[in-house]
Amino acid sequence: MCKVVGYVHRHLAQRPSGDVTDTTAVRAAVDRAAEELGGIDIVIVNASAMTGKGREAWENSFNVDLMSLVGFIEAATPHLEKSSAASVVT
C-alpha cells in the first residue's frame, strides 16, 4: 500500500503540473503504479486546497477536495476490480 501511494505521489510530482485535478496525469500515474507493482488493492485519497476567501477559493477547493477524489477512484477502479481485497479510503 505505501509503495503505491508513494509511487503515485512521486510520479505526479515529476509532471510539470503536479496537479491532482489533472485526470490525464492521475490516470497515467495510477496505471503505471498498477503495472509496475502488480496491481492495486487499496486507494487512499486525501487532498485539500482551501486557501483564501471568496467564490474562486471555494471553486478551487471543490475541484481539489472532491473532484480529485473522483478522478483517483475512476482511474483505480479497473485495477481494484481485479483485486479480491479492494478498498477505497477517503
Side-chain angles (χ1 to χ4, degrees), residues 54-66:
R55 184 172 184 88
E56 187 176 330
W58 278 101
E59 287 175 356
N60 183 56
S61 178
F62 179 82
N63 284 331
V64 172
D65 298 2
L66 178 63

Side-chain angles (χ1 to χ4, degrees), residues 5 8 18 25-26 40 49-50 54 60 68 70 75 82 89-90:
V5 170
V8 172
V26 168
I40 295 175
M50 187 58 176
N60 183 56
S68 67
V70 171
K82 297 175 187 174
V89 178
T90 61

Side-chain angles (χ1 to χ4, degrees), residues 10-84:
R10 280 192 311 277
H11 183 69
L12 280 175
Q14 292 171 0
R15 297 188 55 83
S17 68
D19 183 353
V20 295
T21 63
D22 180 347
T23 56
T24 301
V26 168
R27 186 168 302 282
V30 170
D31 288 346
R32 188 169 171 191
E35 181 181 325
E36 291 188 12
L37 300 172
I40 295 175
D41 295 319
I42 187 168
V43 173
I44 301 171
V45 185
N46 182 16
S48 183
M50 187 58 176
T51 58
K53 297 179 182 176
R55 184 172 184 88
E56 187 176 330
W58 278 101
E59 287 175 356
N60 183 56
S61 178
F62 179 82
N63 284 331
V64 172
D65 298 2
L66 178 63
M67 296 313 294
S68 67
L69 178 143
V70 171
F72 269 98
I73 293 171
E74 283 181 334
T77 295
H79 306 290
L80 292 169
E81 288 175 337
K82 297 175 187 174
S83 171
S84 62

